[in-house]
Structure formats: C-alpha cells, structure tokens
Amino acid sequence: MSAYDLVAFPSKDRLKEGAHTWGMDLNLRLVRYFVAVAEEMHFGRAAARLFIAQPSLSTQIRRLEQELGTPLLSRNTRKVELTPAGERFLEAARKLLAAAQDAVYAAAGDEPLRIASIVDGLDTVPLILRTLRRQRPSLEVVHGIAGMIRQIAEVRAGRLDLAVGLFTEQQTELEAEVIRLDPVRLVLREDHPLAAHGEIPVSRLDQCRWVFGNSDHTPDWVEFVLAFLAEAGVRPRPPHSGQTPLSSMLEQVREWDAVAAWPESCPPPGAGLVVRPIVHPSPVYPWSLVWRPDRMSDRIRAFQSAARTTAADSGWLTDPFKAETRHGDHVQQ
C-alpha cells in the first residue's frame, strides 16, 4: 500500500458534534474499487477492469461499507444498483481520487498527458502521438485502452485529460472537437460471394452473419454499427458478438464466413480477407477529442495541436466520399 492510499475523514459522531478531530482513515484503494463497480454496475466487469478476482472485489467493497457504516450498493442475482448513500459517495469519491492523483503528479513535478484509445490497433491516436513527439518531444504521455463510455467517465472524474472516439452527447459540460471522419468499410473472406463486388450496397448485407466487438468493452462501437444497420433496415442475424481485439474479430470472420465493420483506421486484415466499401448509404465514424474545459492545460493544447496537424496532413476532415456527409447520422447517402 502506498502513502497515497490513505486519506483521513472525520467519523459520523465527530461530524455531528462539530469536532475537528479526524476519526478514520479511508483507504483510497477501496474507493477505487467502489468507483469501478459503480461505473460498470457489474462485479465481474469491474473485477476484470481492476485485474483482481471477483470474490476479492466483493470482500473489499463490503469492507468499505463497514468502514463507512452504510451500504453503498444494493445487490441481487440479476443486477447491482447504487443506494442513495452510494450515489452521494460516488460523486465525492471521483473528486477524491482525482485530487489524490493530482497530488502525486504535483509531488513528482511534470504531470503527464493521460489519454486512451477505444481499441488497440487503430491508427488515429498513434498517428497523432507521432506528430506530438515531433512537436513536444519532452511531453510524457500515459496511453491506455478503454471504450468511449468508460473514457468519458474517466474524463469527468479527472483521471483522463482527453477522451478520443465517438462522442454523441448534446447537452454536456464537456467540450469536443471532431478530428477525423473515418470511412467504415466491410471486411470479409476473399471467397465470400459479396467479395466479388467492388462496392457493397447495405441492402445486400441483410443475410450476412456479423461479427462485432465485445459489447462489454466497446458498447459504443457496437451500438454505432447496429444503429447504422438498423437505419438502413438491416437486422444482423446471430451470432453478432465477438472479441474486441482486432485479431480475434478477424479470426471469427474467417472461421464463421462472417463480415465485420472495418474502419479505414484499422490495419490491413491479412491473408484470405478483403475490404470493400459500403454504399447506399456509407457509414462514417467521427473521431472527437473530448475534455473538461475547467481542466484545460498546456498538455491538452499540445495534443489538440498535434491532432489538427495530423488531420490536415492526412486529409482526415475532407469528405471521404466527395459528397455531402450527414454528420448527425454519420452516414453518406
């Protein structure tokens, strides 16, 4: 346990008495565990996120509740919910963890830029980081992998400086900037009947077997593809689940003679597979930078500058279909 894992809070009795004596030491590790469960609303997913065993996580949450003297979570066999006390504690817990992390960075001196990518293997963030290293070679970057829903939660909590991916919130305290319009194509086996076509109309995809990313890790991406297909009248037939790593998705495409959405930012799929444009309509995945305006910093400005430079050099914001793009629906007719 590090010195940064403990923080003092007054006991309930002391607070009622109006005293200033500190009555308990709250373990920040337990607070992190609680926030993970509260954000995932699932002990199994939270345990995987924290790299600990699920029974151990349950034990630690009960320990935190005992220390606080109140239940934070309501559990049954089907779901996990926050109690009223848990809802109040979650907001304060996020601020507490962010403040603790800021204190660690302040003690160390230079604070790194903290960002994440939705899936390992897509080139959007790596290309921006390459530009950033040329422009600001001394800037340290902490780069993780997380779905966009989790990224946004981490930005709000102050644990990430920037989220990078699809951002659809309309009324929000966050600020966002689109940096790339990423054409989404189709990957399929080279012997698939549709592979003979230079372009594949959406209407021809209704009878295909689809592979998606893991809905637990990247639900935002799965929802994006499902929404695009639904708008075009396509209802994928099972199985429509898969593994988030791109290599695992490709193996499932090969094994099941299936198809998958494949953005231009993905690498070439490899032997035995081909990529074809989707038309009538054509999906576009808009990458955005998302940040908290009250936490704007030189580090964030540096990444924004690198992203704009990369977008200009790579033509990311030019219309990939040479026609008007409907940004609201992220498709091209």
Side-chain angles (χ1 to χ4, degrees), residues 166-170 178 181 224 227-228 231 284 286 324-333:
L166 175 66
F167 186 65
T168 58
E169 294 184 20
Q170 299 298 319
V178 175
L181 301 176
F224 167 80
F228 159 71
E231 182 180 337
V284 177
E324 183 179 358
T325 300
R326 295 197 290 118
H327 297 294
D329 296 327
H330 312 308
V331 298
Q332 165 65 37
Q333 300 287 354

PDB file of all heavy atoms in Angstrom, residues 166-170 178 181 224 227-228 231 284 286 324-333:
ATOM      1  N   LEU A 166     -15.926   8.319 -30.532  1.00  0.00           N
ATOM      2  CA  LEU A 166     -17.252   8.808 -30.888  1.00  0.00           C
ATOM      3  C   LEU A 166     -17.906   9.488 -29.691  1.00  0.00           C
ATOM      4  O   LEU A 166     -18.022   8.897 -28.620  1.00  0.00           O
ATOM      5  CB  LEU A 166     -18.118   7.632 -31.360  1.00  0.00           C
ATOM      6  CG  LEU A 166     -19.576   7.936 -31.672  1.00  0.00           C
ATOM      7  CD1 LEU A 166     -19.685   8.872 -32.877  1.00  0.00           C
ATOM      8  CD2 LEU A 166     -20.352   6.642 -31.937  1.00  0.00           C
ATOM      9  N   PHE A 167     -18.356  10.724 -29.880  1.00  0.00           N
ATOM     10  CA  PHE A 167     -18.985  11.480 -28.802  1.00  0.00           C
ATOM     11  C   PHE A 167     -20.308  12.028 -29.313  1.00  0.00           C
ATOM     12  O   PHE A 167     -20.342  12.812 -30.263  1.00  0.00           O
ATOM     13  CB  PHE A 167     -18.078  12.621 -28.351  1.00  0.00           C
ATOM     14  CG  PHE A 167     -18.587  13.362 -27.142  1.00  0.00           C
ATOM     15  CD1 PHE A 167     -18.689  12.730 -25.913  1.00  0.00           C
ATOM     16  CD2 PHE A 167     -18.958  14.696 -27.231  1.00  0.00           C
ATOM     17  CE1 PHE A 167     -19.151  13.408 -24.796  1.00  0.00           C
ATOM     18  CE2 PHE A 167     -19.411  15.387 -26.118  1.00  0.00           C
ATOM     19  CZ  PHE A 167     -19.512  14.729 -24.896  1.00  0.00           C
ATOM     20  N   THR A 168     -21.417  11.623 -28.684  1.00  0.00           N
ATOM     21  CA  THR A 168     -22.740  11.977 -29.190  1.00  0.00           C
ATOM     22  C   THR A 168     -23.561  12.814 -28.220  1.00  0.00           C
ATOM     23  O   THR A 168     -24.696  13.167 -28.542  1.00  0.00           O
ATOM     24  CB  THR A 168     -23.532  10.700 -29.523  1.00  0.00           C
ATOM     25  OG1 THR A 168     -23.637   9.882 -28.346  1.00  0.00           O
ATOM     26  CG2 THR A 168     -22.841   9.903 -30.628  1.00  0.00           C
ATOM     27  N   GLU A 169     -23.032  13.115 -27.034  1.00  0.00           N
ATOM     28  CA  GLU A 169     -23.807  13.882 -26.061  1.00  0.00           C
ATOM     29  C   GLU A 169     -24.102  15.288 -26.593  1.00  0.00           C
ATOM     30  O   GLU A 169     -23.222  15.946 -27.135  1.00  0.00           O
ATOM     31  CB  GLU A 169     -23.057  13.980 -24.734  1.00  0.00           C
ATOM     32  CG  GLU A 169     -22.891  12.653 -24.014  1.00  0.00           C
ATOM     33  CD  GLU A 169     -22.226  12.819 -22.660  1.00  0.00           C
ATOM     34  OE1 GLU A 169     -22.236  13.947 -22.133  1.00  0.00           O
ATOM     35  OE2 GLU A 169     -21.682  11.828 -22.140  1.00  0.00           O
ATOM     36  N   GLN A 170     -25.331  15.722 -26.418  1.00  0.00           N
ATOM     37  CA  GLN A 170     -25.734  17.047 -26.895  1.00  0.00           C
ATOM     38  C   GLN A 170     -25.641  18.092 -25.785  1.00  0.00           C
ATOM     39  O   GLN A 170     -25.011  19.127 -25.945  1.00  0.00           O
ATOM     40  CB  GLN A 170     -27.164  16.981 -27.444  1.00  0.00           C
ATOM     41  CG  GLN A 170     -27.320  16.031 -28.626  1.00  0.00           C
ATOM     42  CD  GLN A 170     -26.482  16.440 -29.824  1.00  0.00           C
ATOM     43  OE1 GLN A 170     -26.390  17.627 -30.153  1.00  0.00           O
ATOM     44  NE2 GLN A 170     -25.849  15.471 -30.467  1.00  0.00           N
ATOM     45  N   VAL A 178     -14.292  17.470 -33.447  1.00  0.00           N
ATOM     46  CA  VAL A 178     -14.133  16.376 -34.405  1.00  0.00           C
ATOM     47  C   VAL A 178     -12.783  16.525 -35.098  1.00  0.00           C
ATOM     48  O   VAL A 178     -12.449  17.603 -35.607  1.00  0.00           O
ATOM     49  CB  VAL A 178     -15.272  16.367 -35.432  1.00  0.00           C
ATOM     50  CG1 VAL A 178     -15.027  15.291 -36.499  1.00  0.00           C
ATOM     51  CG2 VAL A 178     -16.611  16.140 -34.750  1.00  0.00           C
ATOM     52  N   LEU A 181     -12.986  12.068 -39.906  1.00  0.00           N
ATOM     53  CA  LEU A 181     -14.144  11.373 -40.452  1.00  0.00           C
ATOM     54  C   LEU A 181     -13.623  10.075 -41.062  1.00  0.00           C
ATOM     55  O   LEU A 181     -12.970  10.085 -42.105  1.00  0.00           O
ATOM     56  CB  LEU A 181     -14.846  12.242 -41.498  1.00  0.00           C
ATOM     57  CG  LEU A 181     -15.338  13.599 -40.997  1.00  0.00           C
ATOM     58  CD1 LEU A 181     -15.932  14.415 -42.138  1.00  0.00           C
ATOM     59  CD2 LEU A 181     -16.363  13.423 -39.882  1.00  0.00           C
ATOM     60  N   PHE A 224     -22.941   1.861 -32.412  1.00  0.00           N
ATOM     61  CA  PHE A 224     -22.775   2.659 -33.633  1.00  0.00           C
ATOM     62  C   PHE A 224     -23.071   1.817 -34.867  1.00  0.00           C
ATOM     63  O   PHE A 224     -23.822   2.230 -35.759  1.00  0.00           O
ATOM     64  CB  PHE A 224     -21.353   3.222 -33.692  1.00  0.00           C
ATOM     65  CG  PHE A 224     -20.972   3.805 -35.029  1.00  0.00           C
ATOM     66  CD1 PHE A 224     -21.378   5.087 -35.382  1.00  0.00           C
ATOM     67  CD2 PHE A 224     -20.212   3.075 -35.930  1.00  0.00           C
ATOM     68  CE1 PHE A 224     -21.030   5.623 -36.608  1.00  0.00           C
ATOM     69  CE2 PHE A 224     -19.859   3.610 -37.165  1.00  0.00           C
ATOM     70  CZ  PHE A 224     -20.270   4.884 -37.509  1.00  0.00           C
ATOM     71  N   ALA A 227     -26.787   0.712 -34.981  1.00  0.00           N
ATOM     72  CA  ALA A 227     -27.666   1.831 -35.320  1.00  0.00           C
ATOM     73  C   ALA A 227     -27.601   2.141 -36.811  1.00  0.00           C
ATOM     74  O   ALA A 227     -28.629   2.409 -37.450  1.00  0.00           O
ATOM     75  CB  ALA A 227     -27.287   3.061 -34.506  1.00  0.00           C
ATOM     76  N   PHE A 228     -26.408   2.100 -37.375  1.00  0.00           N
ATOM     77  CA  PHE A 228     -26.262   2.348 -38.812  1.00  0.00           C
ATOM     78  C   PHE A 228     -27.005   1.286 -39.620  1.00  0.00           C
ATOM     79  O   PHE A 228     -27.735   1.586 -40.566  1.00  0.00           O
ATOM     80  CB  PHE A 228     -24.785   2.369 -39.185  1.00  0.00           C
ATOM     81  CG  PHE A 228     -24.543   2.109 -40.647  1.00  0.00           C
ATOM     82  CD1 PHE A 228     -24.873   3.064 -41.582  1.00  0.00           C
ATOM     83  CD2 PHE A 228     -24.028   0.910 -41.077  1.00  0.00           C
ATOM     84  CE1 PHE A 228     -24.690   2.837 -42.936  1.00  0.00           C
ATOM     85  CE2 PHE A 228     -23.843   0.660 -42.427  1.00  0.00           C
ATOM     86  CZ  PHE A 228     -24.172   1.627 -43.362  1.00  0.00           C
ATOM     87  N   GLU A 231     -30.828   1.690 -39.288  1.00  0.00           N
ATOM     88  CA  GLU A 231     -31.342   2.806 -40.079  1.00  0.00           C
ATOM     89  C   GLU A 231     -31.519   2.394 -41.535  1.00  0.00           C
ATOM     90  O   GLU A 231     -32.428   2.863 -42.224  1.00  0.00           O
ATOM     91  CB  GLU A 231     -30.400   4.001 -39.980  1.00  0.00           C
ATOM     92  CG  GLU A 231     -30.890   5.220 -40.739  1.00  0.00           C
ATOM     93  CD  GLU A 231     -29.931   6.388 -40.632  1.00  0.00           C
ATOM     94  OE1 GLU A 231     -29.154   6.428 -39.675  1.00  0.00           O
ATOM     95  OE2 GLU A 231     -29.981   7.263 -41.504  1.00  0.00           O
ATOM     96  N   VAL A 284     -19.764   6.647 -41.689  1.00  0.00           N
ATOM     97  CA  VAL A 284     -18.556   7.402 -41.336  1.00  0.00           C
ATOM     98  C   VAL A 284     -18.482   7.482 -39.819  1.00  0.00           C
ATOM     99  O   VAL A 284     -19.437   7.906 -39.167  1.00  0.00           O
ATOM    100  CB  VAL A 284     -18.575   8.827 -41.929  1.00  0.00           C
ATOM    101  CG1 VAL A 284     -17.341   9.612 -41.482  1.00  0.00           C
ATOM    102  CG2 VAL A 284     -18.669   8.777 -43.444  1.00  0.00           C
ATOM    103  N   PRO A 286     -17.072   9.369 -36.764  1.00  0.00           N
ATOM    104  CA  PRO A 286     -16.411  10.643 -36.449  1.00  0.00           C
ATOM    105  C   PRO A 286     -15.616  10.552 -35.146  1.00  0.00           C
ATOM    106  O   PRO A 286     -16.188  10.368 -34.070  1.00  0.00           O
ATOM    107  CB  PRO A 286     -17.592  11.608 -36.308  1.00  0.00           C
ATOM    108  CG  PRO A 286     -18.727  10.749 -35.842  1.00  0.00           C
ATOM    109  CD  PRO A 286     -18.481   9.341 -36.323  1.00  0.00           C
ATOM    110  N   GLU A 324     -21.677  15.407 -49.850  1.00  0.00           N
ATOM    111  CA  GLU A 324     -22.077  15.959 -48.561  1.00  0.00           C
ATOM    112  C   GLU A 324     -22.293  14.842 -47.549  1.00  0.00           C
ATOM    113  O   GLU A 324     -23.012  13.891 -47.790  1.00  0.00           O
ATOM    114  CB  GLU A 324     -23.368  16.765 -48.707  1.00  0.00           C
ATOM    115  CG  GLU A 324     -23.783  17.431 -47.404  1.00  0.00           C
ATOM    116  CD  GLU A 324     -25.041  18.236 -47.567  1.00  0.00           C
ATOM    117  OE1 GLU A 324     -25.551  18.293 -48.702  1.00  0.00           O
ATOM    118  OE2 GLU A 324     -25.519  18.802 -46.575  1.00  0.00           O
ATOM    119  N   THR A 325     -21.674  14.953 -46.385  1.00  0.00           N
ATOM    120  CA  THR A 325     -21.821  13.969 -45.327  1.00  0.00           C
ATOM    121  C   THR A 325     -22.844  14.469 -44.324  1.00  0.00           C
ATOM    122  O   THR A 325     -22.795  15.617 -43.907  1.00  0.00           O
ATOM    123  CB  THR A 325     -20.476  13.730 -44.604  1.00  0.00           C
ATOM    124  OG1 THR A 325     -19.536  13.257 -45.558  1.00  0.00           O
ATOM    125  CG2 THR A 325     -20.638  12.705 -43.492  1.00  0.00           C
ATOM    126  N   ARG A 326     -23.759  13.592 -43.928  1.00  0.00           N
ATOM    127  CA  ARG A 326     -24.737  13.947 -42.907  1.00  0.00           C
ATOM    128  C   ARG A 326     -24.145  13.627 -41.553  1.00  0.00           C
ATOM    129  O   ARG A 326     -24.225  12.499 -41.083  1.00  0.00           O
ATOM    130  CB  ARG A 326     -26.040  13.170 -43.128  1.00  0.00           C
ATOM    131  CG  ARG A 326     -26.726  13.528 -44.412  1.00  0.00           C
ATOM    132  CD  ARG A 326     -28.183  13.080 -44.431  1.00  0.00           C
ATOM    133  NE  ARG A 326     -28.282  11.629 -44.518  1.00  0.00           N
ATOM    134  CZ  ARG A 326     -28.836  10.874 -43.585  1.00  0.00           C
ATOM    135  NH1 ARG A 326     -29.284  11.423 -42.489  1.00  0.00           N
ATOM    136  NH2 ARG A 326     -28.917   9.564 -43.738  1.00  0.00           N
ATOM    137  N   HIS A 327     -23.531  14.613 -40.904  1.00  0.00           N
ATOM    138  CA  HIS A 327     -22.806  14.368 -39.662  1.00  0.00           C
ATOM    139  C   HIS A 327     -23.716  13.897 -38.557  1.00  0.00           C
ATOM    140  O   HIS A 327     -23.301  13.138 -37.694  1.00  0.00           O
ATOM    141  CB  HIS A 327     -22.068  15.642 -39.231  1.00  0.00           C
ATOM    142  CG  HIS A 327     -21.034  16.070 -40.202  1.00  0.00           C
ATOM    143  ND1 HIS A 327     -19.902  15.334 -40.449  1.00  0.00           N
ATOM    144  CD2 HIS A 327     -20.966  17.171 -41.006  1.00  0.00           C
ATOM    145  CE1 HIS A 327     -19.169  15.960 -41.368  1.00  0.00           C
ATOM    146  NE2 HIS A 327     -19.793  17.067 -41.711  1.00  0.00           N
ATOM    147  N   GLY A 328     -24.963  14.331 -38.536  1.00  0.00           N
ATOM    148  CA  GLY A 328     -25.858  13.917 -37.469  1.00  0.00           C
ATOM    149  C   GLY A 328     -26.071  12.420 -37.444  1.00  0.00           C
ATOM    150  O   GLY A 328     -26.181  11.798 -36.398  1.00  0.00           O
ATOM    151  N   ASP A 329     -26.143  11.786 -38.645  1.00  0.00           N
ATOM    152  CA  ASP A 329     -26.375  10.352 -38.717  1.00  0.00           C
ATOM    153  C   ASP A 329     -25.088   9.582 -38.990  1.00  0.00           C
ATOM    154  O   ASP A 329     -25.092   8.351 -38.965  1.00  0.00           O
ATOM    155  CB  ASP A 329     -27.375  10.029 -39.836  1.00  0.00           C
ATOM    156  CG  ASP A 329     -28.744  10.629 -39.541  1.00  0.00           C
ATOM    157  OD1 ASP A 329     -29.095  10.710 -38.365  1.00  0.00           O
ATOM    158  OD2 ASP A 329     -29.436  11.014 -40.502  1.00  0.00           O
ATOM    159  N   HIS A 330     -24.012  10.301 -39.307  1.00  0.00           N
ATOM    160  CA  HIS A 330     -22.724   9.696 -39.590  1.00  0.00           C
ATOM    161  C   HIS A 330     -22.795   8.712 -40.761  1.00  0.00           C
ATOM    162  O   HIS A 330     -22.204   7.639 -40.729  1.00  0.00           O
ATOM    163  CB  HIS A 330     -22.161   8.974 -38.350  1.00  0.00           C
ATOM    164  CG  HIS A 330     -22.245   9.815 -37.135  1.00  0.00           C
ATOM    165  ND1 HIS A 330     -21.753  11.096 -37.079  1.00  0.00           N
ATOM    166  CD2 HIS A 330     -22.777   9.565 -35.901  1.00  0.00           C
ATOM    167  CE1 HIS A 330     -21.963  11.613 -35.886  1.00  0.00           C
ATOM    168  NE2 HIS A 330     -22.587  10.712 -35.161  1.00  0.00           N
ATOM    169  N   VAL A 331     -23.597   9.068 -41.782  1.00  0.00           N
ATOM    170  CA  VAL A 331     -23.656   8.236 -42.976  1.00  0.00           C
ATOM    171  C   VAL A 331     -23.627   9.133 -44.206  1.00  0.00           C
ATOM    172  O   VAL A 331     -23.939  10.316 -44.153  1.00  0.00           O
ATOM    173  CB  VAL A 331     -24.941   7.359 -43.039  1.00  0.00           C
ATOM    174  CG1 VAL A 331     -24.970   6.413 -41.865  1.00  0.00           C
ATOM    175  CG2 VAL A 331     -26.199   8.209 -43.079  1.00  0.00           C
ATOM    176  N   GLN A 332     -23.234   8.538 -45.308  1.00  0.00           N
ATOM    177  CA  GLN A 332     -23.208   9.252 -46.594  1.00  0.00           C
ATOM    178  C   GLN A 332     -24.182   8.564 -47.538  1.00  0.00           C
ATOM    179  O   GLN A 332     -24.104   7.349 -47.751  1.00  0.00           O
ATOM    180  CB  GLN A 332     -21.794   9.217 -47.174  1.00  0.00           C
ATOM    181  CG  GLN A 332     -21.730   9.591 -48.642  1.00  0.00           C
ATOM    182  CD  GLN A 332     -22.137  11.008 -48.861  1.00  0.00           C
ATOM    183  OE1 GLN A 332     -21.823  11.861 -48.043  1.00  0.00           O
ATOM    184  NE2 GLN A 332     -22.838  11.280 -49.922  1.00  0.00           N
ATOM    185  N   GLN A 333     -25.120   9.345 -48.049  1.00  0.00           N
ATOM    186  CA  GLN A 333     -26.114   8.764 -48.964  1.00  0.00           C
ATOM    187  C   GLN A 333     -25.516   8.603 -50.357  1.00  0.00           C
ATOM    188  O   GLN A 333     -24.635   9.341 -50.745  1.00  0.00           O
ATOM    189  CB  GLN A 333     -27.360   9.648 -49.007  1.00  0.00           C
ATOM    190  CG  GLN A 333     -28.028   9.800 -47.658  1.00  0.00           C
ATOM    191  CD  GLN A 333     -28.755   8.538 -47.214  1.00  0.00           C
ATOM    192  OE1 GLN A 333     -28.853   7.582 -47.953  1.00  0.00           O
ATOM    193  NE2 GLN A 333     -29.248   8.551 -45.988  1.00  0.00           N
TER     194      GLN A 333
END
